[in-house]
Amino acid sequence: MDIKNTAAIVTGGASGLGAATASLLAQRGAKVALFDVNAELGNQLADEIGGSFHSVDVTDPEMVKSAVQDAEGLHGKARILVNCAGIGPPAKVLNRDGSPLPLEDFAKVIQINLIGTFNVLSHFAARLYEAEPVGEERGVIVNTASVAAFEGQIGQAAYSASKSGVAGMALPIAREFARYAIRVNTIAPGLFLTPMLETLPQEAQDSLGKQAPFPSRLGKPEEYAQMVEAIISNPMLNAETIRLDGAIRMAPK
Ligand code: NAD
């Protein structure tokens, strides 16, 4: 799919991997709509890249439905969707005193990372499946999992469950959307230097980065964005989960 002049939606686009993706897509000539709960950063970036910001909680079907319509009114029908909105607070199953993790803490991570991803992609596809194709394709979806989908650490039960759900649903959705010429792929990043990790002291950042065999450093958000560009550009890539991780394999803790 050509990126130039194509309308794109990036969730979690106000920060980190989503912001880098939105910037690269805009540089390549896409018309970008940022969906995020962080209005301050979202508006700022939308101004910088000539895109639009939409105040959206990805877990809310009505908000998502109307934001997809609003974005279409501004930029035309979105054919590119990149789902980056996510949270990752660590929490063990049992607290220090042996009491179980409150169920709502587990559910919140699943709600945003997994159900939110599904919510946005279903509303995106509902407005796209009857559109005229451009060449052989109608559109492309890129979802964000994590290496924690495959080797979750202690404290990542909810996060790993949400991210393996994201990776797992790509194949059935890609199969379903084949008749609409819409592709679905997943990126599973290793450790990337985004605001989440920027708050750690430099020493901690360096030590995390060294866990990757090569390159022995944290990933740059721009490198995630490059992978999104490659996925969008290559029509044969479908129903794939791509690890982007410098060969890191996470230890138990
Ligand atoms: P980030 O915190 O910088 O960005 C996440 C964005 O999502 C924020 O702008 C936040 O406001 C937004 N968001 C959170 N909840 C939302 C909601 N309910 N509705 C709409 N927007 C919401 O984090 P990041 O590091 O850029 O992470 C982006 C994605 O990549 C996440 O899904 C994360 O799990 C995944 N990931 C990140 C890393 C990493 O090392 N940074 C590694 C693996 C996977």
Side-chain angles (χ1 to χ4, degrees), residues 5-64:
N5 293 325
T6 302
I9 294 170
V10 181
T11 78
S15 172
L17 305 183
T21 301
S23 300
L24 184 70
L25 293 179
Q27 266 174 41
R28 300 288 187 258
K31 293 171 279 183
V32 182
L34 308 175
F35 287 13
D36 207 294
V37 288
N38 190 329
E40 194 188 333
L41 286 180
N43 277 310
Q44 202 178 310
L45 183 64
D47 286 349
E48 265 170 52
I49 66 172
S52 58
F53 172 72
H54 307 258
S55 183
V56 177
D57 180 338
V58 294
T59 65
D60 184 323
E62 286 311 314
M63 264 189 165
V64 167

Side-chain angles (χ1 to χ4, degrees), residues 11-20 35-39 41-42 54-60 63-64 83-88 108 111-113 116-117 120 143-148 159 162-163 166 187-198 218-219 221 224 244:
T11 78
S15 172
L17 305 183
F35 287 13
D36 207 294
V37 288
N38 190 329
L41 286 180
H54 307 258
S55 183
V56 177
D57 180 338
V58 294
T59 65
D60 184 323
M63 264 189 165
V64 167
N83 271 309
C84 287
I87 59 168
K108 186 176 178 196
Q111 191 69 28
I112 294 177
N113 293 359
T117 297
V120 182
N143 294 329
T144 309
S146 163
V147 294
Y159 188 70
S162 71
K163 294 302 190 178
V166 169
I187 301 176
L191 295 171
F192 277 68
L193 187 55
T194 64
M196 228 195 285
L197 293 188
E198 273 163 10
L218 298 172
Y224 171 93
L244 191 66

Side-chain angles (χ1 to χ4, degrees), residues 71-140:
E72 186 175 320
L74 291 170
H75 306 303
K77 201 164 281 290
R79 293 180 182 274
I80 296 169
L81 168 64
V82 186
N83 271 309
C84 287
I87 59 168
K92 291 185 184 171
V93 180
L94 297 181
N95 290 315
R96 276 171 201 277
D97 64 0
S99 62
L101 178 71
L103 197 54
E104 58 267 30
D105 293 3
F106 184 89
K108 186 176 178 196
V109 177
I110 304 289
Q111 191 69 28
I112 294 177
N113 293 359
L114 175 57
I115 298 177
T117 297
F118 180 83
N119 188 29
V120 182
L121 79 78
S122 61
H123 285 286
F124 165 84
R127 290 201 69 85
L128 182 59
Y129 80 104
E130 286 183 320
E132 277 300 303
V134 178
E136 64 182 342
E137 285 189 88
R138 267 199 189 77
V140 54

